[in-house]
Amino acid sequence: MKENKYDDAAFFAKYAGMHRSIYGLAGAAEWAALRAMLPDTAGKSVLDLGCGYGWHCRYFAESGASRVLGIDLSERMLAEARSRANPPAIEYRRAAMEELDFPAGSFDLVFSSLAFHYVRDFAPLVANIARWLKRGGALVCSMEHPVFTSSGPQDWDYAPDGTIRHFPVDRYFEEGEREAIFLGERVIKYHRTLTTIVGALFASGLRLTGLVEPQPPEDMLDLPGMRDEMRRPMMLLLSAKKA
Amino acid sequence: MKENKYDDAAFFAKYAGMHRSIYGLAGAAEWAALRAMLPDTAGKSVLDLGCGYGWHCRYFAESGASRVLGIDLSERMLAEARSRANPPAIEYRRAAMEELDFPAGSFDLVFSSLAFHYVRDFAPLVANIARWLKRGGALVCSMEHPVFTSSGPQDWDYAPDGTIRHFPVDRYFEEGEREAIFLGERVIKYHRTLTTIVGALFASGLRLTGLVEPQPPEDMLDLPGMRDEMRRPMMLLLSAKKA
């Protein structure tokens, strides 16, 4: 059974209070970098894996996509997504992304924001995505950075006075389950090396076209904790193309 | 003036005592992974940037390369390289790789082992390499991993009893000069994010074909310190192709 922390009421309430949950794309520090990697989706079909509140689905629909299919494992997330004003091009569906199946060449863009680190078996999923894409189609995704996932707790190393000393990397080549603390709750994530992540794209025949570790934008540097994000890479954004 | 620590007698003597300096390619933990990324060089022309003792130059010549040009900034390194039995295909030349110039399309393979982290301005060098390559030619290189270069000292974080706690990442997005301790001496290296490294390849029109963070091979795990190398990525191997 896939872990579905987002249907836990207490966890979901905390998630709802996050800056990015309140302000949407404008509240996500990586959005400008991620948007710059997206192809034009006017008239295109888009699959969003782990759509959450549906911010990106709405962005694609507003950008003229002819069809947007948003997938999420969490009923609460989908209820939240459906409660917003949604253009008719969007369909939301509850599913685990690992269990989806579509005919080959179904989508122009497969997109995923901060969901892949919950997936245990990455390579088979990427092989599926490569198959679901049309020729010339693209995968654009964000995930937690291997530096951020490697040691486990995803927390800084602190001096006795409580100031940050640095960010710890450990167990880097020991891939697999990590128990992280996110919003004060235990959450299972999966650590993979950069080699494995990028290797899955190569192995599925996709061509890597972009790799970006986003930095906080200037106008967000005064948000709590944001300046510390200059000290470590927390996210990895990738774009790839099906030739 | 480029720093040239390798012409410092004391430093060079220590370098000569390293496992990889004594045993050559067989003594380099990353060699198997790096070799797997190399194209067939039989009948091909190869440029080796930062050739050191010439181990790779000899490997290319023995693999049938028609011409191998080994470049190094250090006279001592080149003297050591020339003192070995070298096939006639090899030419060694003293130069800073940043100041080289060749006609477009001069080489089938540009290779570099653990030298790029001494280069301050990476993007112009990669642009040159892309120009020097023939169509269909490849760049294959190793360098220190951004995780390894970010904080500066390149040392573990230790517990009071002297055991390793983890490897520190810090100042990740603050690119530039770092003063590292290598073989007990201060050495200037340059930290770049993965984004910048891979971005330089994309910007020069090269297609990324491989990205590997090598792990110590099984048969070297009992060498001093080698098991700890499973805890952090120390090197980054890249291959790219000129379309």
Side-chain angles (χ1 to χ4, degrees), chain A residues 157 165 170 172 195 213 231, chain B residues 157 170 172 195 213 231:
Chain A
D157 190 69
R165 293 177 66 230
D170 208 349
Y172 188 81
T195 307
E213 300 151 303
R231 303 176 66 172
Chain B
D157 190 70
D170 208 347
Y172 188 81
T195 307
E213 299 151 304
R231 302 176 67 172

Side-chain angles (χ1 to χ4, degrees), chain A residues 3 9 25 41 43 47-48 59 61 73 77 92 98 107 114 133 152 155-156 164 170 176 202 218 232 239-240:
Chain A
E3 189 186 57
L25 302 184
T41 50
L47 173 65
D48 183 349
Y59 172 80
L73 188 59
M77 282 289 191
Y92 293 110
E98 302 90 324
F107 299 97
L114 298 178
L133 282 173
D155 199 3
W156 300 95
I164 291 172
D170 208 349
F202 290 140
E218 278 291 331
R232 64 169 180 201
S239 63

Side-chain angles (χ1 to χ4, degrees), chain B residues 31-226:
Chain B
W31 171 237
L34 190 57
R35 183 177 48 193
M37 299 169 86
L38 289 169
D40 179 11
T41 49
K44 306 289 187 180
S45 58
V46 180
L47 174 65
D48 183 349
L49 299 172
C51 65
Y53 279 27
W55 295 109
H56 299 99
C57 289
R58 288 186 292 279
Y59 172 79
F60 296 129
E62 284 156 16
S63 304
S66 54
R67 182 193 177 207
V68 182
L69 179 57
I71 303 290
D72 210 283
L73 188 58
S74 158
E75 268 308 352
R76 282 178 194 269
M77 282 289 191
L78 292 174
E80 188 64 42
R82 290 191 182 105
S83 75
R84 316 275 168 134
N86 283 295
I90 303 179
E91 176 195 345
Y92 293 110
R93 192 184 298 176
R94 187 181 186 189
M97 66 178 89
E98 302 90 324
E99 289 157 12
L100 289 169
D101 196 22
F102 301 103
S106 293
F107 299 98
D108 295 289
L109 171 66
V110 176
F111 174 85
S112 182
S113 169
L114 297 178
F116 283 167
H117 46 265
Y118 294 119
V119 172
R120 190 178 59 190
D121 299 317
F122 188 57
L125 175 64
V126 174
N128 280 342
I129 289 170
R131 196 164 45 79
W132 300 336
L133 281 173
K134 299 180 188 177
R135 281 189 184 281
L139 166 65
V140 177
C141 57
S142 66
M143 66 193 81
E144 288 183 348
H145 197 289
V147 163
F148 189 61
T149 55
S150 75
S151 77
Q154 305 197 319
D155 199 2
W156 300 94
D157 190 70
Y158 297 95
D161 68 359
T163 56
I164 290 173
R165 295 176 66 229
H166 51 248
F167 191 79
V169 163
D170 208 347
R171 305 170 63 195
Y172 188 81
F173 289 112
E174 188 190 320
E175 299 189 308
E177 205 172 294
R178 297 288 191 274
E179 198 176 283
I181 305 298
F182 179 42
L183 302 172
E185 305 270 337
R186 289 171 41 206
V187 181
I188 299 297
K189 301 183 181 183
Y190 293 89
H191 168 68
R192 277 178 276 275
T193 66
L194 185 68
T195 307
T196 294
I197 294 167
V198 173
L201 301 183
F202 289 141
S204 68
L206 296 176
R207 182 186 306 171
L208 190 67
T209 51
L211 184 161
V212 173
E213 299 151 304
Q215 304 178 41
E218 277 291 330
D219 63 358
M220 286 195 187
L221 280 176
D222 290 333
L223 289 176
M226 207 57 105

Side-chain angles (χ1 to χ4, degrees), chain A residues 163-184:
Chain A
T163 56
I164 291 172
R165 293 177 66 230
H166 52 248
F167 191 78
V169 163
D170 208 349
R171 305 168 64 196
Y172 188 81
F173 289 111
E174 187 190 322
E175 298 189 308
E177 206 173 293
R178 296 289 192 274
E179 200 177 283
I181 305 297
F182 177 42
L183 301 172

